């Protein structure tokens, strides 16, 4: 039976599937049936006479390619095993094997896996005698990660260190030497790593015209999925593979480009029509996942993007609850408000149909604590549970000893960081401390003076019995040098986890209660695998491609979403906007945004007021957001704390005071045109400038545009 394309596809999908020759760019909005469109286009090409072995389908997972080819074969009633489908890297490997002689690799070249590559990095480090006796020098896996990032982003090692590993700047020169030596060792031994595959294929195609011609003749049609996630070399390879025919179809969504940290470059999809003149652009805007009220909000998020393909998602699911915006007094009360919302949602949805999403793994810690208290099972993706993090366990070890000096496991945890103390010695010291053997302890401390400091700290905590927050402050002060020495590669990230732990401790009055709540086993952790009725906690990056009936998005404040680092560069801020879009488009029926008014700051030992995320401030609250009272807070304007509403903010229900100045666009002599995000009384404005990001400017220096 022939395929009824018009019956099976909506008009935009049909246009993409039936496109014949020439470059095609399919901008596939979230939930718009992207895979279905690719499958039907594959089937159409074969149905129109294209041989399957003339089709090349490049995806980011082998599973995705096989699924698409299988589904297309099912439509056609025939197998498509002859079509080439797989990842960029697997395709590159197959071509380098095929043309090994011309690539200058010989038949015997081998590909190193990650373990092999890490071992070669170690050999390069030893050959250069780098980091000898220096525990702060980055470990081999970090060195390999850094070298790989520099390769994929096509930046120097120094640039990557400066941009992303600021704590390793003193080692930037050594790391550059290490990268060069690693490359030399690979060449000397005829080995390639994962990243080399793409660059070697590019080099081959550029250097050998007859190979390029052969490849172009073989694959008459090239299709690329998730094009927004390609890096620079992948985009160049697509152009080389397309050849003069330019029968290339790229499918993706610029608004879902969120992997710049891996080397993905959103400019690839934005510049596709320039790279391939005559490109036909088809936008898939009909959404099959979310309700229209949710899509209204996601459309509003994209409205503020600097560079984008215009699209407006719509759906036949016109009815549904408006997304909700919940203000809470603090990050702690936010966690309790999440529990309240979960209780409400569970009347309608199973637990596994709900997800709590966040920008960074440590941000879920307060929620995890509340879930443990209630005994609600959860699975976490994109970051480990905070009670399982090594540095958190280290710090809690001191607190456990303050409560129970006979806690052998805690003694082992604390002592394992003392130089020269192995498992046997740790056990001997612990038993000496537990039995109160003063002479034995003196003997141990004479050998290891730092042990005396540990004993004084634990004894002081036991005698003084400070509140958990104060106890943690003392432990963290002592532990910070240990943290920096033990985890030199990523201690700034781990430090954030300790700050979050201090915030969790703030409401508690005794160590016993605090430790008990932290130690309750999460019933969602099951060795046999995830249980069906289990709440999902996930970073947004890990949630991409997934969906839930209800989504709760937390910590929508500056420095957390967008992250502090992203606030400094316009391109990073734009990626954070796309991340917000991805988060909200995971929701099918219900979406709730949480904005805490304050966050506990450990080194200040108090809650500091926080500004709502600029992405929240931009939203037209009345039309697509419903304000709701949060735990410990009350309905308030989004632009200011509930206790003293800012007159400039958008008023919530029952709001009073002077009307807000009309927010729109403005121009600055230096920064150019920008969007006004917020009025800061009496005469300042927070403006998002196209090429300079967020700035606070006195009104007299701005030329306001008429609405």
């Amino acid at each position: 039976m022939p395929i009824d394309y018009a019956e099976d596809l909506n008009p935009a999908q049909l246009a993409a599937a039936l496109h014949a020759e020439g470059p095609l760019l399919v901008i596939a909005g979230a939930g718009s049936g992207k895979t279905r469109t690719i499958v039907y286009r594959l089937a159409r090409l074969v149905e129109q006479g294209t041989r399957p072995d003339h089709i090349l389908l490049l995806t980011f997972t082998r599973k995705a390619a096989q699924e698409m080819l299988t589904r297309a074969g099912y439509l056609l009633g025939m197998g498509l095993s002859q079509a080439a489908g797989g990842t960029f890297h697997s395709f590159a490997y197959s071509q380098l094997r095929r043309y090994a002689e011309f690539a200058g690799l010989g038949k015997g070249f081998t590909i190193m896996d990650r373990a092999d590559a890490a071992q070669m990095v170690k050999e390069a480090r030893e050959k250069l005698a780098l980091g000898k006796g220096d525990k702060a020098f980055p470990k081999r896996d970090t060195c390999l990660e850094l070298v790989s990032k520099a390769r994929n982003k096509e930046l120097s090692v120094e640039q990557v260190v400066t941009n992303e590993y600021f704590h390793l700047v003193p080692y930037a020169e050594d790391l550059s030497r290490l990268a060069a030596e690693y490359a030399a060792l690979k060449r000397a031994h005829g080995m390639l790593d994962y990243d080399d595959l793409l660059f070697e294929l590019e080099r081959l195609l550029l250097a050998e015209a007859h190979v390029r011609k052969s490849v172009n003749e073989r694959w008459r049609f090239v299709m690329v999925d998730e094009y927004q996630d390609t890096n620079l070399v992948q985009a160049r390879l697509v152009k080389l593979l397309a050849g003069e025919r330019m029968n290339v179809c790229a499918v993706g969504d610029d608004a879902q480009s969120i992997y710049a940290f891996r080397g993905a470059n959103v400019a690839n999809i934005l510049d596709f029509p320039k790279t391939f003149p005559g490109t036909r652009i088809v936008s898939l805007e009909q959404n099959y996942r979310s309700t229209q009220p949710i899509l209204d909000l996601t459309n509003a998020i994209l409205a503020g993007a600097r560079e984008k393909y215009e699209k407006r998602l719509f759906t036949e699911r016109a009815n549904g609850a408006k997304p909700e915006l919940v203000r809470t007094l603090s990050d702690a009360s936010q966690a309790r408000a999440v529990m309240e919302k979960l209780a409400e949602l569970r009347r309608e949805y199973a637990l596994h149909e709900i997800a709590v999403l966040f920008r960074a793994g440590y941000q879920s810690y307060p929620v995890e604590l509340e879930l443990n208290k209630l005994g609600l099972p959860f699975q976490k993706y994109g970051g480990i549970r905070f009670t399982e993090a090594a540095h958190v366990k280290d710090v809690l070890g001191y607190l456990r000893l303050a409560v129970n000096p006979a806690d052998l496991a805690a003694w082992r945890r604390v002592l394992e960081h003392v130089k020269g103390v192995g498992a046997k010695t740790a056990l001997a010291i612990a038993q000496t401390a537990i039995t109160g053997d003063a002479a034995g302890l003196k003997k141990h401390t004479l050998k290891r003076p730092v042990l005396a400091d540990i004993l004084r700290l634990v004894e002081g905590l036991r005698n003084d019995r400070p509140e958990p927050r104060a106890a943690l402050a003392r432990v963290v002060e002592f532990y910070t040098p240990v943290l920096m020495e033990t985890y030199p590669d990523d201690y700034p990230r781990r430090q954030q986890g300790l700050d979050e732990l201090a915030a969790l401790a703030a409401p508690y009055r005794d160590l016993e209660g605090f430790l008990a709540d932290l130690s309750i086993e999460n019933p969602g952790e099951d060795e046999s695998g995830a249980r069906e009725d289990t709440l999902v906690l996930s970073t947004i990056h890990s949630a991409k491609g997934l969906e839930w009936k209800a989504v709760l998005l937390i910590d929508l404040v500056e420095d957390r979403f967008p992250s502090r680092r992203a606030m400094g560069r316009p391109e990073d801020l734009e990626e954070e906007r796309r991340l917000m879009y991805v988060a909200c488009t995971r929701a099918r029926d219900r979406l709730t945004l949480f904005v805490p008014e304050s966050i506990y700051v450990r080194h200040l030992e108090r809650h500091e007021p926080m500004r709502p995320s600029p992405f929240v401030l931009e939203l037209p609250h009345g039309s697509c957001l419903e304000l709701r009272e949060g735990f410990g807070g009350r309905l308030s304007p989004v632009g200011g704390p509930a206790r003293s509403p800012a007159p400039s903010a958008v008023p919530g229900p029952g709001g009073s005071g002077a009307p807000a100045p009309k927010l729109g666009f403005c121009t600055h002599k230096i920064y150019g045109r920008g969007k006004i995000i917020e009025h800061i009384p009496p005469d300042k404005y927070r403006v998002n400038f196209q090429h300079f990001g967020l700035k606070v400017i006195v009104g007299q220096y701005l030329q306001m545009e008429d609405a």
Side-chain angles (χ1 to χ4, degrees), residues 69-121:
L69 292 172
T70 300
R71 285 174 56 180
Y74 179 79
L75 282 175
L76 292 163
M78 60 179 281
L80 289 183
S81 59
Q82 290 177 303
T87 65
F88 277 91
H89 292 84
S90 63
F91 172 74
Y93 178 70
S94 69
Q95 297 311 294
L96 290 173
R97 278 286 187 200
R98 183 183 182 93
Y99 300 105
E101 181 182 348
F102 301 108
L105 296 170
K107 292 290 185 183
F109 81 92
T110 53
I111 304 298
M112 296 186 292
D113 60 20
R114 187 167 181 83
D116 293 334
Q119 180 59 35
M120 189 166 281
V121 166

Side-chain angles (χ1 to χ4, degrees), residues 557-576:
V557 293
E558 281 187 12
D559 288 353
R560 293 202 164 192
F561 200 161
S563 66
R564 180 174 301 173
R565 186 174 297 175
M567 297 292 285
R569 300 199 318 165
E571 58 268 36
D572 292 343
L573 190 62
E574 284 301 293
E575 177 152 325
E576 297 285 306

Side-chain angles (χ1 to χ4, degrees), residues 113-150:
D113 60 20
R114 187 167 181 83
D116 293 334
Q119 180 59 35
M120 189 166 281
V121 166
K122 182 184 177 186
E123 290 170 15
R125 176 179 166 174
E126 289 172 351
K127 185 175 179 181
L128 296 174
L130 296 176
K132 270 195 171 182
D134 183 357
K135 288 188 175 180
F137 194 90
K139 295 179 175 63
R140 66 178 189 179
D141 286 343
T142 301
C143 293
L144 179 60
E145 177 186 283
L146 200 154
V147 170
S148 178
K149 271 193 177 182

